[in-house]
Amino acid sequence: MELPKLNNADQVEGNMVIMTDAAGLSGVAMARLAKISGAAALMVVNTDQDAGDYIYSLEPETDEEREYAEEHIDIPIIMVSLQAGNVITTALATDEMDPKIVNAGGALPDRIRLYAGGDRPFFEDAVSKTPVVYLIHNMLTNEECDELITLADGKYDRVDDTTGVNNYLENIMSSEDGTPTAKNIDRVTLWKGGIAGKLFKDIDERISQVTGFPPEHFSDFQVNKYEKGSAYDEHFDINPANGIMASITIFLNDVPQEGGGEFIFTKPEDGNGEPVIISPTKGLAVVHHNTDEKYNFDRATVHSEAELLSGYKYVAKKYVYLNPQEKHMRIVLPLIAMPFGGKLPRVFITLQNLLIANFGFESAETYFRKIITMIPVLLLIGIASAVSNFVTNKLKSGDDSSSSGIMKKKTKEVPKKDGKVVKKTKKSSTKSKKA
């Protein structure tokens, strides 16, 4: 099919052209128009008013399109959501500017920087309908992946979800019927929160920039270690004590294609309903929303991890809570965990469980926050008391030494006429003379 050049091809030459999908043209057709008009890049805006931040893959729709794209399309092509498109096209708009000028591209910035994939994060759509699932390639660098594995080493506990006891603090829920879902999986949560070092702050900032989630809503990293035979049967990411809006699963090492361990969404409401299978790739993040746009739990988020057939698999998971986390979660608990390499002592998990069992979720959270917040105060009081006792004892010891020095008796050897020697004591204190 022959296509004419764009009407403003003389302005497009050497620049990025912005198009919308409102005309119903395929991605290849739009790319073809941009290419023959001399564009250096193409940005396609998704005009679906109800789509929010949703974007989709621009795939060839016919074999002819696929063949043409492979032979002729060599310019960068990206899709942005309607919201993002509006931000870009009104970047330089002012209140006084004529809307016609804005609509004609008069408020566009002079330059828009497009990054090639390379080692920078970039998106890939995984499920088009529900649940919301997308991949972020290169979410972590190789060095960051290796560092997380090193920090978790030696701190793991074997997951046992058959006990009927939940770990609400670290999002580890027991299975409903006592049947194990987490099989031969070792896990540790690295409590860093608001006192984290550069590694964790850089990662949280990058995740926030790429996903749009505020870091105040993030959990700390939960690191999981899988060995040959490990598997995770179908389950949900859900926590009745602290609502989870989204989950970010990051693979920390590569697993060979024949090694198993795939991440699987078993029941997506997407196309033919076939499972979505994601192979573990180092640095790759799988983001899925556990709730719909009204924050209701989405049962289509059920997922599993296939049995690992050989070697090891390391996965870091970060949860995005519905509400920002309070200071006792982001400051106090990480401070308590610091002497243990970021691993929280079990007693605090038990404490929260006891409070929930006795008072329910809402009241238990209030009591737990007060108790945890009081710990630093009690520690400061204890330290102040210990210092005070130490100083008091030192002063008292000094006074006793002075007193004993005053009352100390001197001994003097006095020879007797028969040649024997006897000791004569004499007080060292001086007697006052009478006037």
Side-chain angles (χ1 to χ4, degrees):
M1 179 179 64
E2 292 297 329
L3 293 174
K5 290 184 178 182
L6 295 170
N7 293 335
N8 59 341
D10 56 333
Q11 298 174 335
V12 169
E13 180 74 36
N15 295 308
M16 181 179 74
V17 63
I18 300 177
M19 299 183 185
T20 72
D21 59 358
L25 292 176
S26 68
V28 173
M30 286 186 281
R32 190 171 181 175
L33 268 173
K35 174 72 174 177
I36 64 177
S37 299
L42 168 64
M43 178 185 293
V44 179
V45 180
N46 179 14
T47 56
D48 187 346
Q49 296 282 348
D50 300 322
D53 287 325
Y54 174 67
I55 58 176
Y56 56 88
S57 301
L58 294 168
E59 300 287 346
E61 296 181 359
T62 64
D63 291 339
E64 181 184 355
E65 282 198 343
R66 185 179 303 279
E67 183 179 345
Y68 181 88
E70 291 175 352
E71 293 181 3
H72 301 287
I73 304 300
D74 57 358
I75 61 174
I77 303 169
I78 62 170
M79 170 171 273
V80 298
S81 66
L82 182 60
Q83 293 177 7
N86 287 335
V87 170
I88 295 170
T89 55
T90 60
L92 302 181
T94 62
D95 293 337
E96 297 78 20
M97 188 175 289
D98 188 335
K100 292 181 180 179
I101 297 176
V102 176
N103 292 335
L108 279 166
D110 292 332
R111 293 177 181 271
I112 297 175
R113 179 172 294 178
L114 297 180
Y115 291 105
D119 58 354
R120 296 181 177 88
F122 65 96
F123 287 84
E124 180 183 352
D125 183 32
V127 177
S128 297
K129 295 182 180 178
T130 182
V132 176
V133 181
Y134 54 93
L135 311 182
I136 306 177
H137 297 262
N138 304 322
M139 186 71 257
L140 297 188
T141 66
N142 288 340
E143 292 75 18
E144 288 167 340
C145 292
D146 295 341
E147 184 66 17
L148 283 175
I149 293 174
T150 300
L151 289 171
D153 189 41
K155 302 181 181 72
Y156 295 107
D157 290 320
R158 179 57 55 93
V159 179
D160 183 0
D161 56 3
T162 64
T163 62
V165 178
N166 293 325
N167 180 348
Y168 299 102
L169 277 178
E170 299 178 332
N171 301 300
I172 304 174
M173 302 296 112
S174 61
S175 63
E176 294 181 357
D177 58 1
T179 303
T181 55
K183 301 173 181 177
N184 301 324
I185 300 173
D186 296 325
R187 177 176 296 165
V188 64
T189 297
L190 298 175
W191 287 83
K192 300 297 180 180
I195 62 171
K198 187 177 185 301
L199 170 72
F200 291 93
K201 286 183 178 178
D202 286 350
I203 292 174
D204 279 0
E205 181 179 353
R206 188 182 314 126
I207 292 175
S208 179
Q209 289 175 347
V210 173
T211 64
F213 296 128
E216 295 79 16
H217 290 245
F218 291 167
S219 75
D220 284 301
F221 268 124
Q222 179 192 87
V223 182
N224 298 272
K225 179 181 178 181
Y226 300 73
E227 58 188 24
K228 183 179 179 180
S230 298
Y232 211 158
D233 292 344
E234 289 187 353
H235 64 283
F236 298 99
D237 290 343
I238 189 170
N239 185 344
N242 200 353
I244 300 173
M245 177 171 58
S247 302
I248 303 171
T249 304
I250 307 175
F251 302 111
L252 301 182
N253 68 313
D254 292 315
V255 176
Q257 193 69 32
E258 66 280 3
E262 294 87 357
F263 196 95
I264 305 170
F265 288 92
T266 50
K267 301 174 183 177
E269 297 176 15
D270 185 38
N272 57 13
E274 292 294 322
V276 174
I277 302 174
I278 303 163
S279 298
T281 304
K282 191 172 186 177
L284 173 68
V286 181
V287 183
H288 75 270
H289 292 202
N290 298 291
T291 58
D292 60 20
E293 64 277 2
K294 296 181 180 179
Y295 300 108
N296 296 315
F297 176 63
D298 187 353
R299 297 196 66 84
T301 60
V302 62
H303 56 280
S304 63
E305 295 182 60
E307 180 181 351
L308 190 66
L309 304 178
S310 62
Y312 291 92
K313 182 179 74 170
Y314 294 91
V315 174
K317 199 154 190 174
K318 188 173 282 286
Y319 300 92
V320 183
Y321 296 116
L322 287 169
N323 300 306
Q325 299 305 284
E326 298 190 41
K327 289 183 178 179
H328 71 286
M329 293 287 285
R330 292 190 55 79
I331 303 295
V332 182
L333 290 179
L335 279 172
I336 294 170
M338 184 184 291
F340 309 99
K343 184 177 180 178
L344 190 68
R346 183 76 190 180
V347 63
F348 295 98
I349 297 164
T350 303
L351 171 63
Q352 190 193 46
N353 283 354
L354 287 173
L355 292 173
I356 289 173
N358 286 280
F359 303 106
F361 289 114
E362 188 171 346
S363 297
E365 175 58 24
T366 301
Y367 294 138
F368 184 74
R369 181 179 66 251
K370 290 180 178 179
I371 293 171
I372 296 302
T373 305
M374 282 298 296
I375 289 177
V377 177
L378 295 175
L379 284 174
L380 288 174
I381 293 173
I383 292 171
S385 177
V387 170
S388 176
N389 290 335
F390 177 79
V391 172
T392 301
N393 290 334
K394 276 291 185 182
L395 292 174
K396 185 177 179 181
S397 175
D399 291 343
D400 291 344
S401 298
S402 300
S403 300
S404 62
I406 292 174
M407 299 302 295
K408 186 177 181 180
K409 295 180 180 181
K410 294 181 179 179
T411 60
K412 184 179 181 181
E413 294 181 350
V414 181
K416 285 189 175 182
K417 292 181 180 180
D418 57 3
K420 294 181 178 180
V421 177
V422 296
K423 292 183 178 179
K424 185 177 181 182
T425 62
K426 180 181 180 181
K427 290 184 177 179
S428 61
S429 59
T430 58
K431 295 182 180 180
S432 60
K433 294 181 180 180
K434 292 182 179 179

